[in-house]
Each structure stands twice: as structure tokens, then as C-alpha cells.
């Protein structure tokens, strides 16, 4: 757990920065070198491009102090924040990202630390070319990974892909005609999850939220089939329900909808769903 949110005094934070660090951070922001930050580990993380190099700083509150964690060779400044971390902090403040009173750099809470440590050692043992080839090969095989990769690098271009809209249409028709099996229902649900995970890598929009709500409604009809088919199904309804609802909650937060609109949307969904526990 990352604790309760804290209020950051942004003007005071700016005044506390060394002049050189502040100037470098402002230059990075002015040049568009900072990708849109994401809330991670009770703080914020982003990709920063500086002089042809890419860094992934995290910034958050640790031991009651605003702290940066960056992989740049320059290291931290006098206050523990390099220019890359400062730029991410300023971008996060601008986006309204809320900071926790007990941040965890890069969201590493230690729940799977043994696995993470093994993977980190493996990555650190590879040369840049080997690591690049592995990442590119994985991106070519996995569209979800490819979207996350481009998002982290700040290289997402154009509108979100249409895969989720296609998946919603196909799921709504999966039992509509001809012969179908429980496996068809399961595959339709898993495709909804996969396409939702891809599309939500893009900046959040109301249209995206509307589409995820449509996906939830379509899945509700199919979830009832899986509930009745408990003896033969291989996929539990929750395996689709939970990630779809999590995406809906995350989009509402990213869009910073007020509580009244969120309640209205949840109410409409709840009225239309019998098997998806919308709350």
C-alpha cells in the first residue's frame, strides 16, 4: 500500500530547486522531451528524452521528502532530484497526478521481488543490442506489449487502434447465429480484455470510456452463459469481468471525472448488467 495522498506546494517546490536543475527541467518540458507521466507507486513516472538518450525517472514522496529515482548517469542533485525527475514532477503536477505520503519508486512493492531480481540480473547481463533484439521480437509477437513499449517511449502516434470496437462488435454477435461453443464465448471475453489493455495505453478520452462501458455491457450477456456453464468452462467470468471494471475505474480517474458523473455512469451500467458487479 502507498498510503494517503499529500498536497504538494508547487511554488515552494520550484523555489527550492537549484537554478541549474530548474532551468534544465524547464528546457526538457519546453522541448517536449517528457512523455505524459503515469501514476505509479504513489508517485509519477515518465520517459524523458535528453540528448538522444532515454531515461525513465520516477518521482514521489519518500520519508516525507519529494524524491527522484532516475537512471541517468548524472545522478541526483543536492535535493535528491535530477533535472529529469524534476521535469517529470512538474509534468505530473500539471496533469493533476496525486502523490502518496509513502511512495514506492517505480511501484516496486516487493511482492514479487525474487522474480524481479532474477529478471533484473538477466537484463543487466545483456548488451544493448541483445536487449534491443529481445524487446523488438516480443513487440512483434505481442500487440499489448508493443503498445506499452511505445507508450513508455512516448512514441504513440495517431488515434487509438480500432481493435476494441471490433472485439465488441464480434462479441455481441458470437451467439447470434449458427453453431457456437462455450470456447467461443471464452475467447470473445479474453479478446475484449486484450483489446481493452491495448487501447487504454493511449491518452484517456470520453469516447474510450464509452467504448469500455459498451464492452462491459456486451460481456455481461456472455458472462451469464459462463455462469451456467460452470461444469465445462475453462475461463471464470471474473477473469474478464475484473480487468474490464479495473479499466473503467482507471479511465474515470485519468479523465478526472467528478463524483456525480462517475456515479451516474456506474448507475447506468449497473442497471444494464445482471452478472457484472458494477459498483
Amino acid at each position: 500500500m502507498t498510503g494517503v495522498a499529500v498536497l504538494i506546494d508547487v511554488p515552494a517546490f520550484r523555489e527550492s530547486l537549484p537554478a541549474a536543475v530548474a532551468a534544465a527541467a524547464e528546457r526538457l518540458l519546453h522541448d517536449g522531451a517528457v512523455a505524459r507521466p503515469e501514476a505509479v507507486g504513489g508517485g509519477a513516472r515518465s520517459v524523458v528524452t535528453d540528448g538522444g538518450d532515454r531515461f525513465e525517472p520516477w518521482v514521489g514522496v519518500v520519508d516525507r521528502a519529494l524524491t527522484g529515482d532516475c537512471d541517468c548517469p548524472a545522478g541526483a542533485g543536492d535535493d535528491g532530484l535530477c533535472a529529469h525527475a524534476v521535469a517529470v514532477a512538474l509534468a505530473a503536477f500539471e496533469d493533476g497526478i496525486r502523490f502518496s505520503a509513502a511512495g514506492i519508486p517505480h511501484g516496486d512493492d516487493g511482492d514479487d521481488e525474487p522474480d524481479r531480481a532474477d529478471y533484473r540480473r538477466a537484463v543487466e547481463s545483456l548488451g544493448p543490442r541483445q536487449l534491443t533484439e529481445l524487446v523488438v521480437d516480443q513487440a512483434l509477437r505481442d500487440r499489448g506489449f508493443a503498445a506499452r513499449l511505445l507508450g513508455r517511449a512516448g512514441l504513440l502516434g495517431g488515434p487509438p487502434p480500432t481493435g476494441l470496437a471490433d472485439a465488441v462488435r464480434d462479441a455481441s454477435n458470437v451467439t447470434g447465429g449458427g453453431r457456437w461453443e462455450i470456447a467461443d464465448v471464452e475467447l470473445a471475453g479474453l479478446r475484449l480484455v486484450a483489446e481493452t489493455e491495448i487501447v487504454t495505453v493511449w491518452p484517456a478520452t470520453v469516447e474510450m470510456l464509452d467504448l469500455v462501458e459498451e464492452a462491459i455491457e456486451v460481456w455481461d450477456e456472455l458472462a451469464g452463459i459462463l455462469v451456467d456453464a460452470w461444469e465445462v468452462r475453462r475461463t471464470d467470468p471474473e477473469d474478464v469481468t475484473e480487468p474490464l471494471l479495473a479499466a473503467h475505474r482507471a479511465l474515470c480517474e485519468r479523465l478526472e471525472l467528478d463524483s456525480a458523473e462517475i456515479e451516474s455512469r456506474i448507475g447506468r451500467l449497473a442497471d444494464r448488467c445482471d452478472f457484472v458487479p458494477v459498483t
Side-chain angles (χ1 to χ4, degrees), residues 7-263:
L7 180 64
I8 305 294
D9 188 335
V10 178
F13 169 70
R14 288 179 178 272
E15 292 178 1
S16 71
L17 296 171
V21 173
E26 293 291 353
R27 173 183 58 80
L28 291 168
L29 291 169
H30 180 269
D31 293 345
V34 182
R36 184 170 184 177
E38 59 177 339
V40 174
R45 177 177 63 191
S46 183
V47 173
V48 179
T49 304
D50 187 7
D53 296 319
R54 292 182 182 276
F55 305 108
E56 191 178 4
W58 175 92
V59 64
V61 177
V62 178
D63 294 331
R64 299 184 179 181
L66 196 60
T67 304
D69 181 4
C70 183
D71 52 352
C72 69
D78 294 338
D79 61 349
L81 290 164
C82 66
H84 306 119
V86 169
V88 172
L90 295 176
F93 298 153
E94 182 68 23
D95 279 5
I97 292 178
R98 292 174 290 183
F99 283 35
S100 165
I104 303 170
H106 293 278
D108 182 6
D109 58 8
D111 289 345
D112 58 349
E113 184 58 31
D115 288 342
R116 291 182 66 90
D118 288 342
Y119 294 144
R120 286 184 182 276
R121 284 195 295 271
V123 169
E124 291 167 358
S125 71
L126 298 176
R129 180 174 296 180
Q130 291 175 301
L131 184 58
T132 297
E133 289 176 352
L134 278 175
V135 171
V136 171
D137 287 345
Q138 179 64 21
L140 290 173
R141 290 193 296 265
D142 185 336
R143 291 175 56 240
F145 177 81
R148 293 192 299 274
L149 173 64
L150 294 174
R152 290 287 183 87
L155 297 175
L156 290 174
T162 60
L164 180 55
D166 295 338
V168 169
R169 182 197 61 229
D170 293 344
S172 66
N173 296 325
V174 71
T175 62
R179 299 181 59 184
W180 57 272
E181 300 177 351
I182 293 299
D184 298 322
V185 174
E186 295 172 314
L187 289 174
L190 295 175
R191 184 184 172 197
L192 287 174
V193 172
E195 296 296 342
T196 296
E197 291 177 347
I198 291 172
V199 75
T200 51
V201 173
W202 266 255
T205 64
V206 173
E207 291 76 16
M208 186 184 298
L209 179 59
D210 291 340
L211 185 56
V212 169
E213 290 181 353
E214 187 177 350
I216 291 171
E217 291 182 39
V218 169
W219 171 245
D220 181 72
E221 297 182 12
L222 299 180
I225 296 174
L226 288 193
V227 168
D228 293 337
W230 60 272
E231 291 183 319
V232 296
R233 73 188 185 210
R234 295 184 178 182
T235 301
D236 290 332
E238 293 78 10
D239 294 340
V240 177
T241 297
E242 292 178 359
L244 290 181
L245 291 179
H248 186 269
R249 289 191 294 270
L251 285 172
C252 287
E253 292 179 0
R254 288 166 57 190
L255 288 168
E256 298 181 345
L257 301 181
D258 60 44
S259 58
E261 182 171 356
I262 293 175
E263 290 177 4

